[in-house]
Amino acid sequence: MKILFEFEKKPLYLEDPVKIISCYHPARLNACFDMIESALACGLTVAGFCSYEAGYAFEKKLWHDKQDDFPLLYMGCYRAPTLPGAYSRTACGPYALNDIVINTAQDKYFKDIDAIRRYIACGDVYQITYCIKMRFRWDGDAFGLYRALYRMQPVPYPAYLETDRFRILSLSPEMFLKKSGSFIKTKPMKGTWPRGSNPISDLAAGLRLHFDKKNRAENLMITDLLRNDLGRCGKDIAVPVLFEVAQYNLLYQMTSTVTATVRKDIPVRELFASVFPSGSVTGAPKIRAMEIIRELENEERRIYTGAIGYILPNRDMFFNIPIRTLLLRDGTGEMGIGGGIVWDSTPQGEWDEGMLKSQFLMKTF
């Protein structure tokens, strides 16, 4: 497995793992985390991903006895990275994408949004992150496609993963976890607004997102959820930044920052069991939200809304949330799109927001 991380413009390239740790059934997940601990103790860097469905294994109420066709966890154990950015200098070849379809008809999508609003009205949940998928055919150089997408919409947490069975192209704007020593932070993202057509309307668009009551409500709910999740494994919980608006080529997005202190040697499983998957991709309260997501969504999310990243031998770690992320295998590709549904959401408004988030990919067809 080859992996190129370009988090915060600090490239890290890994290849030729000593071993691969993989899991396709939740009953094997604990053993995989034990192997991760052993690899770290041997001075190896562990890097790869957890799929969204791995989160079911951390809660008894969500457990399901199911063999997946895509890894719940897939991590390589590496002796050392190569020169930073080495893979980014590899020549890029041509690629082609076609035959795009959405896995959920618009009328079903509208019915599901109405169903979520009924759950909210009944007090089951406050917010649900509901997702659909775009599917397409692809051919050619996956790394060339990754580079083209990154040029089209630069993001702070991109990554490229290549195995003999699949490619993952993550153009993620969202941080999941960054741990340095005992200090840890997460930056939940909730809130989207289209860019303006000229400098004045563009400035106004960013301000509208910052002060929009609906988007602030979405963001605050998830920020509170992340505070609670980090409180399960850490202390000194703080929110140093609230309602920060980030600018991208095609849209604005709102993030907040939650920090905590944890034990420097906290087991990886304990940390993930406390916070994975991120509340920004589930809704609140998390367990009930995940039950509703499994009921309404057409299929497994797989890599989408899971976590991609690395853990160094000193237990520092950095993971993104793989949104705006393509999974390519066997000549086909998929990319999830979604958003937080609250009481004020409208089916058409949420559909339009999802299409806006997919524009960076649509422009390559």
Side-chain angles (χ1 to χ4, degrees), residues 201-236:
S201 66
D202 192 48
L203 176 63
L207 290 171
R208 283 177 183 146
L209 173 58
H210 181 72
F211 291 105
D212 182 70
K213 290 182 179 180
K214 173 185 175 292
N215 283 287
R216 281 193 169 212
E218 284 186 40
N219 191 287
L220 186 59
M221 287 180 203
I222 300 307
T223 299
D224 282 342
L225 193 159
L226 266 296
R227 288 174 62 246
N228 291 335
D229 280 358
L230 280 176
R232 299 170 66 185
C233 61
K235 58 183 181 179
D236 303 324

Side-chain angles (χ1 to χ4, degrees), residues 246-283:
Q247 175 182 300
Y248 299 98
N249 285 356
L250 299 173
L251 45 76
Y252 286 105
Q253 302 235 239
M254 182 186 288
T255 65
S256 293
T257 302
V258 185
T259 64
T261 57
V262 297
R263 302 194 314 276
K264 186 176 180 180
D265 61 349
I266 185 172
V268 179
R269 188 199 180 283
E270 180 181 341
L271 182 56
F272 268 67
S274 298
V275 298
F276 183 84
S278 171
S280 70
V281 300
T282 62

Side-chain angles (χ1 to χ4, degrees), residues 103-131:
N103 76 336
T104 304
Q106 194 176 52
D107 60 345
K108 181 186 184 302
Y109 180 91
F110 281 20
K111 290 177 182 176
D112 287 347
I113 301 303
D114 286 337
I116 291 169
R117 294 182 73 252
R118 288 194 295 273
Y119 278 121
I120 294 171
C122 292
D124 277 43
V125 287
Y126 306 110
Q127 180 178 168
I128 294 285
T129 299
Y130 177 71
C131 304

Side-chain angles (χ1 to χ4, degrees), residues 44 139 164 183 230 285 301 333 349-350:
L44 300 176
D139 188 27
D164 57 356
F183 180 78
L230 280 176
R301 292 185 180 184
E350 295 300 326

